[in-house]
Amino acid sequence: MNNSKMAYFEKEDILHLTISDEREAGSVEISPNITAELNEDGDLIGIEIINASAFIRDSILESVQARLLTASGK
C-alpha cells in the first residue's frame, strides 16, 4: 500500500512529503533547508523542505537550463 502524502504550508513555505505513517524517531539535515525524517530503524519516512518555493523554482530552472544546453550541443 502506498502511504505517500504531500502537504504544503503556504504561510511557512514548507513542503512536507510523507512516505510512511510510521512514527518519526529522528531526523538528518541533508542540506540546508532539507531534512530527512527517519523511523526507529533509520529508514526514510519523510522529507521536509523549508523555503520550498525557492527550492522548487531553482530545481526546475537548473533542469531546464541543462536540457537546453544538451539540446543546443554546448
Side-chain angles (χ1 to χ4, degrees):
M1 180 193 307
N2 186 347
N3 294 333
S4 299
K5 298 174 192 158
M6 181 173 60
Y8 177 65
F9 303 94
E10 186 174 3
K11 186 176 180 181
E12 298 86 2
D13 194 19
I14 295 174
L15 180 64
H16 189 260
L17 305 169
T18 302
I19 299 168
S20 169
D21 291 331
E22 294 178 73
R23 192 174 133 279
E24 180 181 339
S27 62
V28 176
E29 185 176 38
I30 299 172
S31 65
N33 299 325
I34 301 176
T35 302
E37 299 168 345
L38 310 171
N39 66 10
E40 289 183 3
D41 296 326
D43 297 325
L44 182 66
I45 60 167
I47 298 173
E48 181 178 80
I49 302 173
I50 300 171
N51 296 325
S53 57
F55 173 80
I56 292 169
R57 180 198 64 227
D58 293 347
S59 296
I60 291 170
L61 285 173
E62 288 174 15
S63 177
V64 168
Q65 288 172 342
R67 288 177 189 246
L68 287 174
L69 286 174
T70 301
S72 68
K74 292 183 180 182

Short mmCIF file of all heavy atoms in Angstrom, two decimals:
data_model
loop_
_atom_site.label_atom_id
_atom_site.label_comp_id
_atom_site.label_asym_id
_atom_site.label_seq_id
_atom_site.Cartn_x
_atom_site.Cartn_y
_atom_site.Cartn_z
N MET A 1 0.84 -1.18 0.00
CA MET A 1 0.00 0.00 0.00
C MET A 1 0.88 1.25 0.00
O MET A 1 1.87 1.32 0.70
CB MET A 1 -0.91 0.00 1.23
CG MET A 1 -1.79 1.22 1.26
SD MET A 1 -2.66 1.56 2.81
CE MET A 1 -3.48 0.06 3.17
N ASN A 2 0.53 2.23 -0.80
CA ASN A 2 1.28 3.47 -0.88
C ASN A 2 0.71 4.48 0.10
O ASN A 2 -0.41 4.94 -0.05
CB ASN A 2 1.21 4.01 -2.32
CG ASN A 2 2.08 5.21 -2.51
OD1 ASN A 2 2.56 5.81 -1.57
ND2 ASN A 2 2.27 5.58 -3.76
N ASN A 3 1.48 4.84 1.12
CA ASN A 3 1.04 5.80 2.12
C ASN A 3 1.60 7.20 1.88
O ASN A 3 1.53 8.04 2.75
CB ASN A 3 1.48 5.33 3.52
CG ASN A 3 0.79 4.06 3.94
OD1 ASN A 3 -0.31 3.78 3.49
ND2 ASN A 3 1.43 3.28 4.78
N SER A 4 2.17 7.44 0.72
CA SER A 4 2.79 8.73 0.43
C SER A 4 1.76 9.84 0.43
O SER A 4 0.67 9.70 -0.12
CB SER A 4 3.50 8.70 -0.92
OG SER A 4 4.51 7.73 -0.92
N LYS A 5 2.15 10.95 1.07
CA LYS A 5 1.30 12.14 1.12
C LYS A 5 2.19 13.37 0.99
O LYS A 5 3.36 13.35 1.36
CB LYS A 5 0.56 12.21 2.46
CG LYS A 5 -0.37 11.05 2.72
CD LYS A 5 -0.94 11.15 4.12
CE LYS A 5 -1.62 9.83 4.46
NZ LYS A 5 -1.74 9.63 5.89
N MET A 6 1.60 14.43 0.48
CA MET A 6 2.33 15.68 0.36
C MET A 6 1.46 16.79 0.93
O MET A 6 0.26 16.84 0.67
CB MET A 6 2.65 15.97 -1.11
CG MET A 6 3.43 17.24 -1.29
SD MET A 6 4.00 17.51 -2.99
CE MET A 6 2.47 17.55 -3.89
N ALA A 7 2.09 17.67 1.70
CA ALA A 7 1.38 18.82 2.27
C ALA A 7 2.26 20.05 2.10
O ALA A 7 3.47 20.00 2.33
CB ALA A 7 1.07 18.59 3.73
N TYR A 8 1.64 21.14 1.67
CA TYR A 8 2.36 22.40 1.53
C TYR A 8 1.75 23.40 2.48
O TYR A 8 0.54 23.61 2.49
CB TYR A 8 2.30 22.92 0.09
CG TYR A 8 2.98 24.26 -0.07
CD1 TYR A 8 4.36 24.39 0.11
CD2 TYR A 8 2.26 25.40 -0.40
CE1 TYR A 8 4.99 25.61 -0.03
CE2 TYR A 8 2.88 26.62 -0.55
CZ TYR A 8 4.25 26.72 -0.36
OH TYR A 8 4.88 27.93 -0.49
N PHE A 9 2.59 24.02 3.30
CA PHE A 9 2.15 25.02 4.26
C PHE A 9 2.60 26.38 3.72
O PHE A 9 3.77 26.76 3.87
CB PHE A 9 2.74 24.72 5.64
CG PHE A 9 2.39 23.34 6.12
CD1 PHE A 9 3.25 22.27 5.90
CD2 PHE A 9 1.17 23.10 6.75
CE1 PHE A 9 2.92 20.99 6.32
CE2 PHE A 9 0.83 21.83 7.18
CZ PHE A 9 1.70 20.77 6.96
N GLU A 10 1.67 27.05 3.06
CA GLU A 10 1.99 28.26 2.31
C GLU A 10 2.56 29.37 3.19
O GLU A 10 3.55 30.01 2.83
CB GLU A 10 0.74 28.77 1.59
CG GLU A 10 1.00 29.94 0.68
CD GLU A 10 -0.21 30.33 -0.12
OE1 GLU A 10 -1.29 29.74 0.04
OE2 GLU A 10 -0.07 31.26 -0.93
N LYS A 11 1.96 29.59 4.34
CA LYS A 11 2.41 30.68 5.21
C LYS A 11 3.87 30.51 5.62
O LYS A 11 4.64 31.47 5.65
CB LYS A 11 1.51 30.76 6.45
CG LYS A 11 1.80 31.92 7.34
CD LYS A 11 0.81 31.99 8.48
CE LYS A 11 1.10 33.18 9.37
NZ LYS A 11 0.17 33.26 10.49
N GLU A 12 4.27 29.26 5.90
CA GLU A 12 5.63 28.98 6.32
C GLU A 12 6.54 28.62 5.15
O GLU A 12 7.75 28.51 5.31
CB GLU A 12 5.64 27.81 7.32
CG GLU A 12 4.89 28.10 8.60
CD GLU A 12 3.40 27.79 8.51
OE1 GLU A 12 2.94 27.32 7.44
OE2 GLU A 12 2.68 28.04 9.48
N ASP A 13 5.97 28.38 3.97
CA ASP A 13 6.68 27.95 2.75
C ASP A 13 7.44 26.65 3.00
O ASP A 13 8.63 26.53 2.71
CB ASP A 13 7.60 29.05 2.23
CG ASP A 13 8.09 28.78 0.81
OD1 ASP A 13 7.45 27.98 0.09
OD2 ASP A 13 9.10 29.37 0.41
N ILE A 14 6.72 25.67 3.57
CA ILE A 14 7.30 24.37 3.88
C ILE A 14 6.54 23.30 3.11
O ILE A 14 5.32 23.25 3.13
CB ILE A 14 7.23 24.07 5.39
CG1 ILE A 14 8.10 25.06 6.17
CG2 ILE A 14 7.67 22.63 5.67
CD1 ILE A 14 7.98 24.94 7.67
N LEU A 15 7.30 22.43 2.44
CA LEU A 15 6.74 21.28 1.75
C LEU A 15 7.11 20.04 2.56
O LEU A 15 8.28 19.84 2.89
CB LEU A 15 7.30 21.16 0.33
CG LEU A 15 6.79 20.00 -0.51
CD1 LEU A 15 5.30 20.13 -0.78
CD2 LEU A 15 7.56 19.93 -1.81
N HIS A 16 6.10 19.25 2.89
CA HIS A 16 6.35 18.05 3.68
C HIS A 16 5.88 16.83 2.89
O HIS A 16 4.71 16.75 2.50
CB HIS A 16 5.63 18.11 5.02
CG HIS A 16 6.03 17.02 5.94
ND1 HIS A 16 5.28 15.89 6.12
CD2 HIS A 16 7.12 16.88 6.71
CE1 HIS A 16 5.90 15.10 6.97
NE2 HIS A 16 7.02 15.67 7.35
N LEU A 17 6.80 15.91 2.64
CA LEU A 17 6.48 14.67 1.93
C LEU A 17 6.52 13.54 2.94
O LEU A 17 7.55 13.32 3.60
CB LEU A 17 7.49 14.41 0.82
CG LEU A 17 7.66 15.53 -0.19
CD1 LEU A 17 8.87 15.28 -1.07
CD2 LEU A 17 6.42 15.69 -1.01
N THR A 18 5.42 12.82 3.07
CA THR A 18 5.35 11.68 3.98
C THR A 18 5.37 10.41 3.15
O THR A 18 4.56 10.24 2.24
CB THR A 18 4.06 11.72 4.81
OG1 THR A 18 4.02 12.95 5.54
CG2 THR A 18 3.98 10.57 5.78
N ILE A 19 6.31 9.53 3.45
CA ILE A 19 6.45 8.26 2.72
C ILE A 19 5.78 7.13 3.49
O ILE A 19 5.29 6.17 2.91
CB ILE A 19 7.94 7.96 2.47
CG1 ILE A 19 8.54 9.07 1.61
CG2 ILE A 19 8.13 6.61 1.82
CD1 ILE A 19 10.04 9.05 1.54
N SER A 20 5.77 7.26 4.81
CA SER A 20 5.22 6.22 5.68
C SER A 20 4.53 6.87 6.87
O SER A 20 4.91 7.96 7.30
CB SER A 20 6.35 5.31 6.17
OG SER A 20 5.91 4.46 7.20
N ASP A 21 3.52 6.19 7.42
CA ASP A 21 2.82 6.69 8.60
C ASP A 21 3.52 6.33 9.90
O ASP A 21 3.02 6.60 10.98
CB ASP A 21 1.38 6.15 8.63
CG ASP A 21 0.53 6.73 7.52
OD1 ASP A 21 0.80 7.86 7.09
OD2 ASP A 21 -0.40 6.04 7.08
N GLU A 22 4.71 5.72 9.78
CA GLU A 22 5.45 5.34 10.98
C GLU A 22 5.84 6.57 11.80
O GLU A 22 5.95 7.67 11.27
CB GLU A 22 6.73 4.59 10.58
CG GLU A 22 6.49 3.26 9.92
CD GLU A 22 7.79 2.62 9.51
OE1 GLU A 22 8.52 2.15 10.42
OE2 GLU A 22 8.07 2.60 8.31
N ARG A 23 6.06 6.34 13.07
CA ARG A 23 6.45 7.41 13.98
C ARG A 23 7.88 7.84 13.70
O ARG A 23 8.77 7.02 13.47
CB ARG A 23 6.33 6.91 15.42
CG ARG A 23 6.42 8.00 16.44
CD ARG A 23 6.16 7.40 17.83
NE ARG A 23 7.13 7.85 18.78
CZ ARG A 23 8.36 7.39 18.98
NH1 ARG A 23 8.81 6.42 18.35
NH2 ARG A 23 9.17 7.88 19.85
N GLU A 24 8.11 9.15 13.71
CA GLU A 24 9.46 9.68 13.48
C GLU A 24 10.30 9.50 14.75
O GLU A 24 9.89 9.87 15.85
CB GLU A 24 9.39 11.16 13.14
CG GLU A 24 10.74 11.79 12.89
CD GLU A 24 10.68 13.26 12.58
OE1 GLU A 24 9.62 13.76 12.16
OE2 GLU A 24 11.71 13.93 12.76
N ALA A 25 11.48 8.91 14.58
CA ALA A 25 12.38 8.69 15.71
C ALA A 25 13.60 9.60 15.64
O ALA A 25 14.32 9.75 16.62
CB ALA A 25 12.82 7.23 15.75
N GLY A 26 13.82 10.20 14.49
CA GLY A 26 14.97 11.08 14.33
C GLY A 26 14.95 11.75 12.99
O GLY A 26 14.07 11.49 12.16
N SER A 27 15.91 12.64 12.79
CA SER A 27 15.99 13.34 11.51
C SER A 27 17.45 13.67 11.22
O SER A 27 18.28 13.73 12.12
CB SER A 27 15.14 14.60 11.52
OG SER A 27 15.60 15.51 12.51
N VAL A 28 17.72 13.90 9.93
CA VAL A 28 19.06 14.24 9.48
C VAL A 28 18.93 15.38 8.47
O VAL A 28 18.14 15.30 7.53
CB VAL A 28 19.75 13.03 8.79
CG1 VAL A 28 21.10 13.42 8.23
CG2 VAL A 28 19.87 11.86 9.74
N GLU A 29 19.72 16.43 8.66
CA GLU A 29 19.72 17.52 7.70
C GLU A 29 20.57 17.08 6.49
O GLU A 29 21.76 16.83 6.62
CB GLU A 29 20.29 18.80 8.31
CG GLU A 29 20.19 19.97 7.37
CD GLU A 29 20.66 21.27 7.98
OE1 GLU A 29 21.65 21.25 8.74
OE2 GLU A 29 20.04 22.30 7.70
N ILE A 30 19.92 16.95 5.34
CA ILE A 30 20.59 16.50 4.12
C ILE A 30 21.38 17.64 3.51
O ILE A 30 22.49 17.46 3.03
CB ILE A 30 19.56 15.97 3.10
CG1 ILE A 30 18.81 14.79 3.70
CG2 ILE A 30 20.22 15.60 1.80
CD1 ILE A 30 17.67 14.31 2.86
N SER A 31 20.78 18.80 3.49
CA SER A 31 21.41 20.03 3.01
C SER A 31 20.64 21.17 3.66
O SER A 31 19.60 20.94 4.27
CB SER A 31 21.37 20.11 1.48
OG SER A 31 20.05 20.21 1.02
N PRO A 32 21.15 22.41 3.55
CA PRO A 32 20.40 23.50 4.16
C PRO A 32 18.94 23.49 3.68
O PRO A 32 18.67 23.35 2.49
CB PRO A 32 21.13 24.75 3.68
CG PRO A 32 22.52 24.27 3.43
CD PRO A 32 22.37 22.86 2.91
N ASN A 33 18.03 23.55 4.62
CA ASN A 33 16.59 23.61 4.37
C ASN A 33 15.95 22.30 3.95
O ASN A 33 14.76 22.27 3.64
CB ASN A 33 16.24 24.70 3.34
CG ASN A 33 16.66 26.07 3.79
OD1 ASN A 33 16.61 26.39 4.98
ND2 ASN A 33 17.09 26.90 2.87
N ILE A 34 16.69 21.20 3.95
CA ILE A 34 16.11 19.90 3.60
C ILE A 34 16.45 18.90 4.71
O ILE A 34 17.63 18.67 5.00
CB ILE A 34 16.61 19.37 2.25
CG1 ILE A 34 16.26 20.36 1.15
CG2 ILE A 34 16.00 18.00 1.96
CD1 ILE A 34 16.78 19.99 -0.21
N THR A 35 15.40 18.33 5.31
CA THR A 35 15.58 17.39 6.41
C THR A 35 14.92 16.05 6.07
O THR A 35 13.78 16.02 5.61
CB THR A 35 14.95 17.94 7.70
OG1 THR A 35 15.55 19.20 7.99
CG2 THR A 35 15.17 17.01 8.87
N ALA A 36 15.67 14.97 6.28
CA ALA A 36 15.13 13.62 6.12
C ALA A 36 14.63 13.15 7.48
O ALA A 36 15.33 13.26 8.48
CB ALA A 36 16.21 12.68 5.61
N GLU A 37 13.41 12.65 7.52
CA GLU A 37 12.82 12.12 8.75
C GLU A 37 12.95 10.61 8.74
O GLU A 37 12.67 9.96 7.73
CB GLU A 37 11.37 12.57 8.85
CG GLU A 37 11.25 14.08 8.90
CD GLU A 37 9.85 14.58 8.72
OE1 GLU A 37 8.97 13.82 8.27
OE2 GLU A 37 9.61 15.76 9.03
N LEU A 38 13.37 10.04 9.86
CA LEU A 38 13.69 8.61 9.94
C LEU A 38 12.86 7.91 11.01
O LEU A 38 12.50 8.51 12.03
CB LEU A 38 15.17 8.45 10.27
CG LEU A 38 16.14 9.24 9.40
CD1 LEU A 38 17.55 9.15 9.97
CD2 LEU A 38 16.09 8.78 7.97
N ASN A 39 12.59 6.62 10.78
CA ASN A 39 11.92 5.80 11.79
C ASN A 39 12.96 5.22 12.75
O ASN A 39 14.15 5.54 12.66
CB ASN A 39 11.05 4.71 11.14
CG ASN A 39 11.87 3.68 10.40
OD1 ASN A 39 13.09 3.62 10.50
ND2 ASN A 39 11.18 2.84 9.64
N GLU A 40 12.54 4.35 13.65
CA GLU A 40 13.45 3.77 14.64
C GLU A 40 14.56 2.94 14.01
O GLU A 40 15.65 2.81 14.58
CB GLU A 40 12.67 2.90 15.63
CG GLU A 40 11.82 3.70 16.58
CD GLU A 40 11.11 2.83 17.60
OE1 GLU A 40 11.32 1.61 17.61
OE2 GLU A 40 10.35 3.40 18.39
N ASP A 41 14.32 2.38 12.82
CA ASP A 41 15.33 1.58 12.13
C ASP A 41 16.26 2.42 11.26
O ASP A 41 17.16 1.89 10.61
CB ASP A 41 14.66 0.52 11.25
CG ASP A 41 13.87 -0.50 12.06
OD1 ASP A 41 14.31 -0.81 13.19
OD2 ASP A 41 12.82 -0.95 11.57
N GLY A 42 16.03 3.73 11.22
CA GLY A 42 16.85 4.60 10.39
C GLY A 42 16.40 4.67 8.94
O GLY A 42 17.11 5.20 8.09
N ASP A 43 15.19 4.14 8.66
CA ASP A 43 14.64 4.19 7.31
C ASP A 43 13.96 5.53 7.07
O ASP A 43 13.33 6.09 7.97
CB ASP A 43 13.63 3.06 7.10
CG ASP A 43 14.25 1.69 7.23
OD1 ASP A 43 15.42 1.52 6.83
OD2 ASP A 43 13.56 0.78 7.75
N LEU A 44 14.03 6.00 5.85
CA LEU A 44 13.40 7.26 5.46
C LEU A 44 11.88 7.13 5.52
O LEU A 44 11.30 6.22 4.92
CB LEU A 44 13.84 7.65 4.05
CG LEU A 44 13.29 8.96 3.51
CD1 LEU A 44 13.85 10.13 4.31
CD2 LEU A 44 13.65 9.09 2.04
N ILE A 45 11.23 8.04 6.23
CA ILE A 45 9.76 8.04 6.30
C ILE A 45 9.17 9.37 5.84
O ILE A 45 7.96 9.48 5.65
CB ILE A 45 9.24 7.70 7.71
CG1 ILE A 45 9.75 8.71 8.73
CG2 ILE A 45 9.61 6.28 8.08
CD1 ILE A 45 9.05 8.65 10.07
N GLY A 46 10.02 10.39 5.65
CA GLY A 46 9.51 11.68 5.21
C GLY A 46 10.63 12.65 4.89
O GLY A 46 11.79 12.43 5.26
N ILE A 47 10.27 13.72 4.19
CA ILE A 47 11.21 14.78 3.84
C ILE A 47 10.52 16.11 4.07
O ILE A 47 9.37 16.30 3.70
CB ILE A 47 11.66 14.68 2.37
CG1 ILE A 47 12.37 13.35 2.13
CG2 ILE A 47 12.55 15.85 1.99
CD1 ILE A 47 12.69 13.08 0.68
N GLU A 48 11.25 17.03 4.67
CA GLU A 48 10.73 18.38 4.89
C GLU A 48 11.63 19.36 4.16
O GLU A 48 12.86 19.31 4.31
CB GLU A 48 10.69 18.70 6.38
CG GLU A 48 10.14 20.07 6.68
CD GLU A 48 10.08 20.33 8.16
OE1 GLU A 48 11.13 20.67 8.74
OE2 GLU A 48 9.00 20.16 8.74
N ILE A 49 11.02 20.24 3.36
CA ILE A 49 11.78 21.25 2.61
C ILE A 49 11.30 22.63 3.05
O ILE A 49 10.14 22.98 2.87
CB ILE A 49 11.58 21.09 1.09
CG1 ILE A 49 12.01 19.68 0.66
CG2 ILE A 49 12.36 22.17 0.34
CD1 ILE A 49 11.69 19.36 -0.79
N ILE A 50 12.22 23.38 3.66
CA ILE A 50 11.94 24.75 4.08
C ILE A 50 12.30 25.67 2.92
O ILE A 50 13.23 25.38 2.17
CB ILE A 50 12.74 25.09 5.35
CG1 ILE A 50 12.34 24.12 6.47
CG2 ILE A 50 12.54 26.53 5.78
CD1 ILE A 50 13.20 24.20 7.70
N ASN A 51 11.59 26.78 2.77
CA ASN A 51 11.74 27.68 1.60
C ASN A 51 11.49 26.89 0.33
O ASN A 51 12.24 26.96 -0.65
CB ASN A 51 13.12 28.33 1.58
CG ASN A 51 13.36 29.25 2.75
OD1 ASN A 51 12.44 29.91 3.22
ND2 ASN A 51 14.57 29.28 3.25
N ALA A 52 10.42 26.11 0.36
CA ALA A 52 10.11 25.17 -0.72
C ALA A 52 9.91 25.84 -2.07
O ALA A 52 10.34 25.30 -3.09
CB ALA A 52 8.87 24.36 -0.34
N SER A 53 9.27 27.00 -2.11
CA SER A 53 9.00 27.63 -3.40
C SER A 53 10.31 27.98 -4.11
O SER A 53 10.44 27.77 -5.32
CB SER A 53 8.11 28.86 -3.24
OG SER A 53 8.70 29.80 -2.36
N ALA A 54 11.31 28.49 -3.39
CA ALA A 54 12.59 28.81 -4.00
C ALA A 54 13.32 27.54 -4.41
O ALA A 54 13.93 27.49 -5.48
CB ALA A 54 13.46 29.62 -3.03
N PHE A 55 13.26 26.50 -3.58
CA PHE A 55 13.92 25.23 -3.91
C PHE A 55 13.35 24.64 -5.19
O PHE A 55 14.09 24.23 -6.09
CB PHE A 55 13.75 24.24 -2.75
CG PHE A 55 14.25 22.87 -3.06
CD1 PHE A 55 15.60 22.58 -3.01
CD2 PHE A 55 13.37 21.86 -3.43
CE1 PHE A 55 16.06 21.30 -3.31
CE2 PHE A 55 13.82 20.58 -3.73
CZ PHE A 55 15.16 20.31 -3.67
N ILE A 56 12.04 24.60 -5.31
CA ILE A 56 11.40 24.02 -6.50
C ILE A 56 11.69 24.88 -7.72
O ILE A 56 12.04 24.36 -8.78
CB ILE A 56 9.89 23.84 -6.26
CG1 ILE A 56 9.69 22.74 -5.21
CG2 ILE A 56 9.17 23.51 -7.56
CD1 ILE A 56 8.28 22.63 -4.70
N ARG A 57 11.59 26.19 -7.58
CA ARG A 57 11.89 27.09 -8.70
C ARG A 57 13.32 26.87 -9.20
O ARG A 57 13.56 26.69 -10.38
CB ARG A 57 11.70 28.55 -8.27
CG ARG A 57 11.99 29.55 -9.40
CD ARG A 57 12.22 30.97 -8.90
NE ARG A 57 13.42 30.98 -8.07
CZ ARG A 57 13.50 31.57 -6.88
NH1 ARG A 57 12.47 32.19 -6.36
NH2 ARG A 57 14.63 31.54 -6.20
N ASP A 58 14.28 26.86 -8.27
CA ASP A 58 15.68 26.69 -8.65
C ASP A 58 15.94 25.32 -9.27
O ASP A 58 16.69 25.20 -10.23
CB ASP A 58 16.59 26.90 -7.44
CG ASP A 58 16.57 28.34 -6.93
OD1 ASP A 58 16.06 29.22 -7.64
OD2 ASP A 58 17.05 28.56 -5.80
N SER A 59 15.30 24.29 -8.75
CA SER A 59 15.46 22.93 -9.30
C SER A 59 14.94 22.85 -10.72
O SER A 59 15.57 22.25 -11.60
CB SER A 59 14.74 21.90 -8.42
OG SER A 59 15.31 21.85 -7.15
N ILE A 60 13.80 23.46 -10.96
CA ILE A 60 13.21 23.45 -12.30
C ILE A 60 14.10 24.25 -13.27
O ILE A 60 14.38 23.80 -14.38
CB ILE A 60 11.77 24.00 -12.28
CG1 ILE A 60 10.86 23.01 -11.56
CG2 ILE A 60 11.26 24.29 -13.69
CD1 ILE A 60 9.47 23.54 -11.26
N LEU A 61 14.57 25.41 -12.84
CA LEU A 61 15.43 26.23 -13.70
C LEU A 61 16.72 25.49 -14.06
O LEU A 61 17.15 25.50 -15.21
CB LEU A 61 15.76 27.56 -13.03
CG LEU A 61 14.64 28.59 -13.00
CD1 LEU A 61 15.06 29.80 -12.17
CD2 LEU A 61 14.27 29.02 -14.41
N GLU A 62 17.34 24.82 -13.08
CA GLU A 62 18.56 24.07 -13.35
C GLU A 62 18.30 22.94 -14.36
O GLU A 62 19.10 22.71 -15.26
CB GLU A 62 19.12 23.49 -12.06
CG GLU A 62 19.75 24.52 -11.16
CD GLU A 62 20.17 23.95 -9.82
OE1 GLU A 62 20.26 22.71 -9.68
OE2 GLU A 62 20.43 24.74 -8.90
N SER A 63 17.19 22.26 -14.19
CA SER A 63 16.85 21.16 -15.10
C SER A 63 16.62 21.67 -16.52
O SER A 63 17.12 21.09 -17.49
CB SER A 63 15.61 20.44 -14.58
OG SER A 63 15.22 19.42 -15.46
N VAL A 64 15.88 22.76 -16.64
CA VAL A 64 15.59 23.32 -17.96
C VAL A 64 16.88 23.82 -18.62
O VAL A 64 17.12 23.57 -19.81
CB VAL A 64 14.55 24.46 -17.85
CG1 VAL A 64 14.45 25.25 -19.15
CG2 VAL A 64 13.19 23.89 -17.47
N GLN A 65 17.73 24.50 -17.85
CA GLN A 65 18.98 25.00 -18.42
C GLN A 65 19.87 23.86 -18.89
O GLN A 65 20.48 23.94 -19.95
CB GLN A 65 19.72 25.86 -17.38
CG GLN A 65 19.04 27.19 -17.15
CD GLN A 65 19.66 27.96 -15.99
OE1 GLN A 65 20.35 27.41 -15.15
NE2 GLN A 65 19.38 29.26 -15.95
N ALA A 66 19.94 22.78 -18.13
CA ALA A 66 20.75 21.62 -18.52
C ALA A 66 20.21 21.01 -19.80
O ALA A 66 20.97 20.64 -20.70
CB ALA A 66 20.77 20.59 -17.41
N ARG A 67 18.90 20.90 -19.92
CA ARG A 67 18.31 20.32 -21.13
C ARG A 67 18.53 21.21 -22.35
O ARG A 67 18.77 20.73 -23.45
CB ARG A 67 16.82 20.04 -20.92
CG ARG A 67 16.59 18.88 -20.00
CD ARG A 67 15.11 18.68 -19.74
NE ARG A 67 14.93 17.70 -18.70
CZ ARG A 67 14.38 16.52 -18.89
NH1 ARG A 67 13.92 16.17 -20.07
NH2 ARG A 67 14.24 15.68 -17.89
N LEU A 68 18.46 22.53 -22.13
CA LEU A 68 18.70 23.46 -23.24
C LEU A 68 20.15 23.37 -23.72
O LEU A 68 20.42 23.41 -24.92
CB LEU A 68 18.37 24.89 -22.82
CG LEU A 68 16.88 25.21 -22.70
CD1 LEU A 68 16.69 26.61 -22.12
CD2 LEU A 68 16.18 25.08 -24.03
N LEU A 69 21.09 23.26 -22.78
CA LEU A 69 22.50 23.12 -23.16
C LEU A 69 22.73 21.83 -23.93
O LEU A 69 23.45 21.80 -24.92
CB LEU A 69 23.39 23.17 -21.92
CG LEU A 69 23.57 24.54 -21.29
CD1 LEU A 69 24.35 24.43 -19.98
CD2 LEU A 69 24.28 25.49 -22.25
N THR A 70 22.09 20.76 -23.49
CA THR A 70 22.22 19.47 -24.18
C THR A 70 21.63 19.55 -25.58
O THR A 70 22.21 19.06 -26.54
CB THR A 70 21.52 18.36 -23.36
OG1 THR A 70 22.13 18.29 -22.08
CG2 THR A 70 21.64 17.02 -24.05
N ALA A 71 20.46 20.18 -25.67
CA ALA A 71 19.77 20.28 -26.97
C ALA A 71 20.55 21.16 -27.95
O ALA A 71 20.54 20.91 -29.16
CB ALA A 71 18.37 20.83 -26.77
N SER A 72 21.25 22.18 -27.41
CA SER A 72 21.99 23.07 -28.31
C SER A 72 23.38 22.54 -28.64
O SER A 72 24.07 23.13 -29.47
CB SER A 72 22.10 24.45 -27.66
OG SER A 72 22.93 24.42 -26.52
N GLY A 73 23.79 21.44 -28.01
CA GLY A 73 25.06 20.82 -28.31
C GLY A 73 26.25 21.49 -27.64
O GLY A 73 27.39 21.24 -27.99
N LYS A 74 26.04 22.33 -26.68
CA LYS A 74 27.13 23.02 -25.98
C LYS A 74 27.67 22.17 -24.86
O LYS A 74 27.09 21.36 -24.28
CB LYS A 74 26.65 24.37 -25.42
CG LYS A 74 26.34 25.34 -26.52
CD LYS A 74 25.94 26.66 -25.93
CE LYS A 74 25.63 27.65 -27.06
NZ LYS A 74 25.28 28.95 -26.55
#
